[in-house]
Amino acid sequence: MNRAARYLCGLWLGVIVTLLYLPILSVGLASLANTRYMRFPHRDWSLGAYADALNQHETLVLHLTSLKVALVVSVLSVALATLGAMAFARYDWTGRSLFQKMVVLPIFFPQPVLGLALLLFFTAIGITPSWKTAVFAHMVWVLPIVTLVISIRLFGYDPAQEDAARDLGASRWQVLREVTLPHLSPGLVSGGLFAFLLSWSNLPLSVFTTGADTTLPEWLFSRVATNYAPVVSAIAVIATLASVAAGLVVIAGLRLRRSRRGAGSPV
Amino acid sequence: MNQQRLGLLFMAPVALFLLVGFVSPIVIVGWYSLMEPRSFELTTVFTLANYRTAFTEGYEAPFFWSLGGAAVTTLTCLLLAWPTARILHALAGRGAAVITALIAAPIFISESVRLFGMSLFLMPGGGILAGTLRTLFDVNIGSVLNTKLGVYLGLVYVHFPFVLFPVLLGVALIPPDRIDAARDLGASRWQVLREIELPLALPGLVIGGLLAFVLCIGANAEAAILGGQTVTVLTRAIEQRFSYAQDWPMGAALTILVIAMTAVFVFPALARLDLNRLIRR
């Protein structure tokens, strides 16, 4: 590539990334003034909206509801997806290809439609929607994704290692604990992180399936559409930073572990 | 134990969950769609009245809007993702990994936040863009907020990262020597693109395009936040049947039509794709 072409390519990437982050940055900028109407550039820059956000009990309740849902979704999804991934990627069985396609089907499905269908389903079988039904709804969409994430890890796994361990006298439990799980664990951790972040940020499923409970994205959506106030921007920033922090901590943990074990295994 | 039994054993929990959480809601919706209009009970007296209404009483507007919006968005995303993926693939190394991660990260930021940000950015008068331009350059600009164009931009913005990933996987499927060989044999740039690159990267393009298309068919937050009252999208039309109109069977019939429409695109594409090959690498 000559210089001009390189320059153009760099410019293209720069423009794409900038466009992707401008709206997110805008929320941050809007949160830095505490006036009733948004008038940028702000005359008085202030952190007042954050003080208001932190003083509202609702902020805490919203975060706790989202946290509760996201944590339960991650734990249950990783547990189920680990089993599913074995069938997806490891064992060779008749029907595997059908199973693989069935698993990815919910990913290729309009989410609000899934939310509506689930709401009708819960009502029909007499379950009152709450954060627990939202967990169930999120899982229908998240479980297939986590299964894929763990499967990708599993495709790079050589089952002969297990035979070798067994030949050396390891018990079934030891093989699982010392061979299989250590290899799979980066996949389990990234799968868990995916599940957490996707659940934390989900709007279309939550809107229809949380009943009287409200998650953060749902609350933001309702406040954005109707009465805007700077405190909405502040809470949006806090919620986003919380998930960024969760992501960074997990990624750093994975890195640390990999560098400790030596750069032996590719991700 | 043999592989067959292990496979069946391990697939059972996931399959069971999806049977309850994915298949049975669709069955229930299908059942409701065959009930008498405005009834709330599931009985065994079936009628096609709701489907007749769906085709005769002006529901085509939201259907066409959502389908058209999905098609335009998918095409735009693919056109943007192709050069981006090619550049990232050619760049390789650490820089490319960081940029890829930066493009992917918004997937994990809520649509509420991202679309809200977009409306703040595009807002007329005191919005981030308009306000900055006025202060720095003394230019006053209009706004695409509350127009159809605004909704399209929102759809592209939200779905672009979903398309980029599969397209990157697709681009990685192109062996570089194949392009060199074609060039050596005298193929033009356009011929290389049309006869070598696009066909080899097709699985990624299909997955990315399909994902964007399907997600856009149901998308309603974009129209709610950026569109004002200018468009009624499909999901909104259905939701109104369930809530305001209290006509569950009608809402259910429309839902089934959307699902059928989705299936028409998804099944043939999935049937041809080899997931093992694409994921294993």
Side-chain angles (χ1 to χ4, degrees), chain A residues 12 20-21 23 26-27 40-41 80 83 91-94 96 100-101 108-109 112 118 140 152 155 201 217 224 228 233, chain B residues 3-4 6-7 10 14 17 21 84 102 105 110 112 116-117 121 126 131-132 135 157 214 218 235 270-271 273 276 279:
Chain A
W12 173 269
L20 279 175
Y21 283 89
S26 299
V27 182
F40 193 79
L80 279 180
L83 302 175
Y91 298 116
D92 199 8
W93 52 289
T94 331
R96 180 169 95 154
Q100 290 177 333
K101 282 173 183 167
F108 294 96
F109 198 85
L118 280 162
V140 177
I152 290 172
F155 271 129
S201 65
V224 167
Y228 169 77
S233 303
Chain B
Q3 301 241 339
Q4 183 67 31
L6 283 168
F10 278 97
V14 172
F17 179 83
T84 312
L102 274 177
S110 184
S112 315
F116 174 37
F121 182 71
T132 308
T135 313
Y157 175 56
V214 167
T235 309
L270 274 190
L273 282 176
N276 286 327
I279 297 173

Side-chain angles (χ1 to χ4, degrees), chain B residues 43-140:
Chain B
T43 61
T44 47
V45 188
F46 299 114
T47 166
L48 284 173
N50 303 303
Y51 289 97
R52 271 194 292 274
T53 314
F55 284 106
T56 51
E57 284 184 23
Y59 286 106
E60 65 279 359
F63 266 91
F64 282 128
W65 207 96
S66 285
L67 273 180
V72 172
T73 307
T74 306
L75 207 64
T76 315
C77 285
L78 283 173
L79 285 174
L80 289 174
W82 178 259
T84 312
R86 290 296 315 271
I87 295 171
L88 285 173
H89 189 68
L91 197 65
R94 216 182 159 76
V98 170
I99 297 172
T100 311
L102 274 177
I103 297 179
I107 290 184
F108 300 106
I109 297 176
S110 184
E111 272 157 79
S112 315
V113 177
R114 286 197 286 157
L115 292 170
F116 174 37
M118 205 162 160
S119 77
L120 291 170
F121 182 71
L122 295 173
M123 207 184 270
I128 305 286
L129 178 66
T132 308
L133 287 179
R134 198 186 49 239
T135 313
L136 292 183
F137 307 108
D138 206 20
V139 198
N140 283 304

Side-chain angles (χ1 to χ4, degrees), chain B residues 196-255:
Chain B
I196 313 281
E197 296 175 328
L198 287 181
L200 284 170
L202 196 65
L205 295 172
V206 169
I207 292 195
L210 195 64
L211 200 56
F213 189 77
V214 167
L215 292 177
C216 287
I217 286 184
N220 58 346
E222 291 80 2
I225 296 179
L226 301 171
Q229 305 290 330
T230 48
V231 279
T232 303
V233 295
L234 200 41
T235 309
R236 182 90 190 107
I238 297 177
E239 202 193 330
Q240 283 168 347
R241 289 301 98 200
F242 281 111
S243 53
Y244 302 125
Q246 287 290 309
D247 192 351
W248 292 9
M250 190 63 224
L254 293 173
T255 309

